[in-house]
Amino acid sequence: MQPGSGEVLVAEGDVNVVEDEERLVAEFRRQLDAGLWAAVPTGDSLVRRQAQMVRSFDEVPKDAERVIFFPRAAGG
Amino acid sequence: MEIGLGITALVALALAVDALAHGLVARFRRWLARPRFEADLAAIDPGRERRAERRARELLRSCVSEDDWQIYRRLGFLRVWSHSTHRHHDGPAVAYLIYPHRPIVSYVAQTGRLLYEYCVTFPAAESNGSKVLPDSDDVLAKWMALNADEQRVLRHANMSLPGKALDPGAVARNIWQLGRFERERMREAASELVDPQRSSAASGYRRA
């Protein structure tokens, strides 16, 4: 998520392909180093959806379709 | 006498030059600090915010349940259940209402009694001339953060009693609207069980 732009694709790839995974891990770290939070939407869209915060690439569920990065919360 | 007048004139001239120089320097600094051409273009692009919001709505829809999406589409907010009260079963069920760029409101689900306002923002580095997320991205960020780590979000928020930033009457109406929406959905679900063919027409919004 970016101000003024909305959703922006940062990187995509197949975690089963070594080059893709390395690129995804590097981008994941870059986003977290930039101070963003990362979350993975989970669950069935017809019943109940949840979200899971992830703090490292290892925490991303293997079947996750995407990771969403967004700014950290702050008191308003 | 003439020397005195000459000195006075020189001092006045020096002061005038100094004032003029300060004015010119200030104008030059303002010129240097002017928005750059790209930012100007972004600022005059009337569709930029709308396109960003459209993308944000698509992202939000892909993340939340169909019922939650319909609540947001029709009523303009989302409801998230408090995990902590659900997990421990030691108190009444508490839920949160999430509004775009407005405080999160907690309330007792059974009674509708408002508990607190949590003012929380997601400040980001300026991008495309804007410093705030599109409305639906702000809602999604709150939804993900509350769902995934409720206490962490509440720790970051500024908490106050209801009524500080939001009209309690308006929030109470929203809770009533939410209840009415859910009763309608239950009736539709019940009719789906009785008559599956009729239900596919009744629940047409699923494909909206």
Side-chain angles (χ1 to χ4, degrees):
Chain A
M1 294 180 194
Q2 274 192 6
S5 302
E7 181 186 3
V8 173
L9 179 66
V10 174
E12 62 183 338
D14 184 349
V15 288
N16 296 315
V17 178
V18 176
E19 295 82 22
D20 281 8
E21 188 186 20
E22 286 172 356
R23 194 163 41 81
L24 292 171
V25 169
E27 194 56 48
F28 186 95
R29 284 183 185 147
R30 200 172 71 80
Q31 296 295 323
L32 261 57
D33 288 346
L36 299 176
W37 279 351
V40 179
T42 58
D44 180 351
S45 70
L46 288 178
V47 185
R48 186 175 169 82
R49 299 298 303 261
Q50 296 282 334
Q52 176 187 341
M53 300 288 266
V54 285
R55 293 175 177 81
S56 72
F57 194 80
D58 295 337
E59 290 180 13
V60 178
K62 292 294 176 197
D63 59 346
E65 292 179 357
R66 61 196 160 164
V67 178
I68 297 173
F69 299 97
F70 59 104
R72 287 169 185 258
Chain B
M1 178 71 175
E2 286 175 359
I3 294 173
L5 281 174
I7 291 172
T8 306
L10 276 175
V11 169
L13 184 65
L15 287 172
V17 167
D18 187 52
L20 188 65
H22 271 92
L24 284 174
V25 168
R27 288 186 69 173
F28 182 64
R29 283 184 178 152
R30 278 200 297 275
W31 180 80
L32 281 180
R34 78 197 187 287
R36 293 293 185 262
F37 182 64
E38 294 79 6
D40 288 347
L41 273 183
I44 61 172
D45 178 1
R48 182 174 56 86
E49 299 283 339
R50 205 166 49 238
R51 288 193 299 276
E53 175 57 21
R54 194 169 59 231
R55 279 194 293 272
R57 285 175 74 86
E58 287 168 10
L59 181 64
L60 175 63
R61 184 177 189 178
S62 71
C63 291
V64 302
S65 71
E66 186 58 37
D67 276 354
D68 279 347
W69 167 248
Q70 290 304 325
I71 290 169
Y72 182 68
R73 195 174 69 87
R74 292 184 188 189
L75 306 178
F77 59 85
L78 278 183
R79 187 260 321 274
V80 172
W81 292 101
S82 167
H83 295 296
S84 49
T85 53
H86 271 197
R87 194 182 304 135
H88 301 303
H89 298 286
D90 57 356
V94 171
Y96 302 97
L97 294 187
I98 300 175
Y99 299 93
H101 296 297
R102 306 288 283 168
I104 297 167
V105 182
S106 63
Y107 68 101
V108 179
Q110 287 92 336
T111 62
R113 184 168 67 90
L114 305 185
L115 296 174
Y116 299 105
E117 287 181 5
Y118 298 94
C119 201
V120 59
T121 60
F122 295 89
E126 188 169 341
S127 172
N128 273 348
S130 176
K131 285 182 180 174
V132 294
L133 294 174
D135 283 358
S136 299
D137 271 353
D138 183 70
V139 167
L140 178 58
K142 288 170 181 164
W143 180 86
M144 287 194 297
L146 269 179
N147 256 307
D149 199 341
E150 180 181 337
Q151 293 308 317
R152 191 182 186 189
V153 179
L154 300 186
R155 271 200 308 275
H156 282 88
N158 284 330
M159 190 175 78
S160 60
L161 291 172
K164 187 180 179 194
L166 292 167
D167 172 19
V171 178
R173 277 195 298 281
N174 287 159
I175 293 170
W176 177 82
Q177 289 171 323
L178 181 59
R180 189 177 63 175
F181 172 86
E182 289 183 316
R183 286 190 295 276
E184 282 175 12
R185 281 294 301 131
M186 286 180 72
R187 273 198 294 274
E188 282 178 17
S191 66
E192 282 174 24
L193 288 174
V194 174
D195 185 355
Q197 284 190 335
R198 187 179 151 219
S199 70
S200 59
S203 61
Y205 76 71
R206 285 189 178 282
R207 291 177 293 278

